[in-house]
Amino acid sequence: MIVIGILGAYVAGLVLDWRWLAVLACFPPFFMLLFMCFMPETPRFLLNKQKKQEAEAAMKFLWGEGQEVEEEEECSHEDQGFYLEILKNPGVYKPLLIGVLLMMFQQFSGINAMLFYAETIFEEANFKNGSLATVIVGVLQVVFTAIAALVMDRAGRKVLLLLSGVIMAVSCMMFGIYFKITVQIPNNSSHPNLLTYLNPESIGTSPGLPWLAVFSMGFFLIGFSLGWGPIPSLVMSEIFPLQIKGLASGVCVLTNWMLSFLVTKEFSDLMNVLTPYGTFWLFSAFCVLNIIFTIFFVPETKGKTLEQIEAHFQGR
């Protein structure tokens, strides 16, 4: 749904002024708020509060009439308490650290910078219709996120993360090479954002070069959609023990959006300080780091129970 929403924003941007686009963007959260009024609390939360009847009603609302009372009773006895001493347990601090790092590498790959500044990037890449280019890459993102959802349980999480990291590293490197060929540098101190081509003849003789920018971003989003887009949130939900699942998930989501804000806010400054090609090569370096991190630290969770995953982190 996230990538469909992003595509919808790109399509609406073709015909709407940014002010009306902002107004349009108010409707989804309004309907989400409206529908949440009809959403019950989770059965597990209600059972922990000793509200068995409400929990049973919530289970029927969410999953239908086929739920058995024994399942509810089993859930009600689970220890959901949290205390600081539990952080000394390797079955707790290891998955928490991995979850936070997954979110960090997801954002430091540069994904939100690319999405939020897609049209600007294409315009600086001398692509005449930047809005159309963003719609193209938005369609690619939707299609390959759907493919990832279909193959995730067969291929495994770790394999897709590695494939995704390689694709993103290569595409960011290609984007950097494109900008290196058509390099923009500040023209003078009075116009620090004025960009000029170091090699303008290459643009005139190579009309297909702007498509290299489109291909690089599309290739990046294909890679991201196959792995580092959907899988970190999935792995996060699988590796945390039930005792800290709520708190740990909240910490990871907070980390994700804080870093998303940081990368998005500083992207323009990075483009000015490091130059466009330096910025994308920096993103490529982070993608290489996420490959190394995946190889050595991210466990394969496909087909494993919560108890098996916890035993892995505890070294059993």
Side-chain angles (χ1 to χ4, degrees):
M1 295 304 295
I2 292 176
V3 293
I4 292 175
I6 292 172
L7 175 60
Y10 286 159
V11 173
L14 292 175
V15 295
L16 293 178
D17 178 75
W18 69 267
R19 295 174 181 84
W20 287 108
L21 188 61
V23 172
L24 180 64
C26 294
F27 285 93
F30 169 76
F31 284 112
M32 182 175 67
L33 178 63
L34 179 64
F35 291 139
M36 282 301 296
C37 296
F38 303 97
M39 178 64 69
E41 289 285 359
T42 64
R44 191 179 302 279
F45 173 82
L46 293 170
L47 287 171
N48 287 333
K49 297 297 183 181
Q50 306 301 318
K51 298 180 179 180
K52 187 175 179 180
Q53 291 183 345
E54 292 90 337
E56 184 176 359
M59 292 178 71
K60 290 179 179 179
F61 176 83
L62 294 170
W63 303 318
E65 299 288 339
Q67 299 301 313
E68 298 180 1
V69 177
E70 287 77 12
E71 294 181 12
E72 303 168 19
E73 293 175 350
E74 182 180 343
C75 291
S76 65
H77 296 300
E78 291 176 356
D79 182 12
Q80 295 286 323
F82 174 81
Y83 47 92
L84 290 178
E85 289 296 319
I86 201 174
L87 293 176
K88 296 180 180 180
N89 183 348
V92 172
Y93 72 78
K94 285 183 179 180
L96 178 58
L97 184 59
I98 288 174
V100 170
L101 288 173
L102 281 170
M103 295 302 170
M104 184 190 79
F105 282 118
Q106 184 189 64
Q107 291 303 322
F108 284 169
S109 69
I111 177 59
N112 277 331
M114 288 201 178
L115 291 178
F116 295 156
Y117 290 92
E119 185 171 353
T120 301
I121 290 171
F122 285 127
E123 288 175 354
E124 290 190 357
N126 202 38
F127 193 80
K128 294 181 179 179
N129 194 335
S131 297
L132 179 60
T134 58
V135 172
I136 293 173
V137 297
V139 170
L140 288 175
Q141 193 176 17
V142 171
V143 170
F144 282 91
T145 299
I147 292 174
L150 294 175
V151 304
M152 201 176 295
D153 286 330
R154 297 181 181 180
R157 285 74 162 133
K158 195 165 183 175
V159 171
L160 288 178
L161 283 175
L162 290 172
L163 176 62
S164 174
V166 171
I167 293 175
M168 290 192 300
V170 172
S171 58
C172 283
M173 181 64 67
M174 291 168 56
F175 224 141
I177 291 172
Y178 173 83
F179 279 115
K180 182 66 174 177
I181 294 173
T182 60
V183 172
Q184 314 94 323
I185 59 173
N187 191 28
N188 55 54
S189 58
S190 64
H191 295 86
N193 293 320
L194 183 60
L195 302 178
T196 59
Y197 292 117
L198 285 184
N199 189 8
E201 292 83 4
S202 64
I203 297 297
T205 59
S206 302
L209 269 180
W211 282 101
L212 177 60
V214 178
F215 177 80
S216 297
M217 180 171 282
F219 196 48
F220 178 92
L221 291 177
I222 287 172
F224 183 82
S225 300
L226 284 175
W228 279 93
I231 291 181
S233 297
L234 175 63
V235 171
M236 179 184 73
S237 69
E238 294 176 331
I239 63 177
F240 294 146
L242 292 175
Q243 195 169 4
I244 66 157
K245 188 180 287 289
L247 177 64
S249 298
V251 169
C252 290
V253 172
L254 177 63
T255 301
N256 185 287
W257 286 108
M258 286 180 62
L259 293 176
S260 172
F261 170 79
L262 178 64
V263 172
T264 305
K265 180 179 182 297
E266 299 301 326
F267 179 66
S268 294
D269 292 334
L270 283 174
M271 295 277 278
N272 289 330
V273 174
L274 299 180
T275 72
Y277 61 85
T279 300
F280 284 101
W281 286 346
L282 177 64
F283 289 151
S284 181
F286 275 113
C287 291
V288 172
L289 288 177
N290 75 38
I291 295 170
I292 297 172
F293 170 72
T294 302
I295 292 173
F296 291 103
F297 298 105
V298 178
E300 178 56 74
T301 58
K302 182 187 72 170
K304 293 184 179 180
T305 65
L306 184 61
E307 291 74 17
Q308 290 173 323
I309 295 171
E310 188 172 356
H312 165 80
F313 285 120
Q314 292 177 342
R316 299 201 308 265

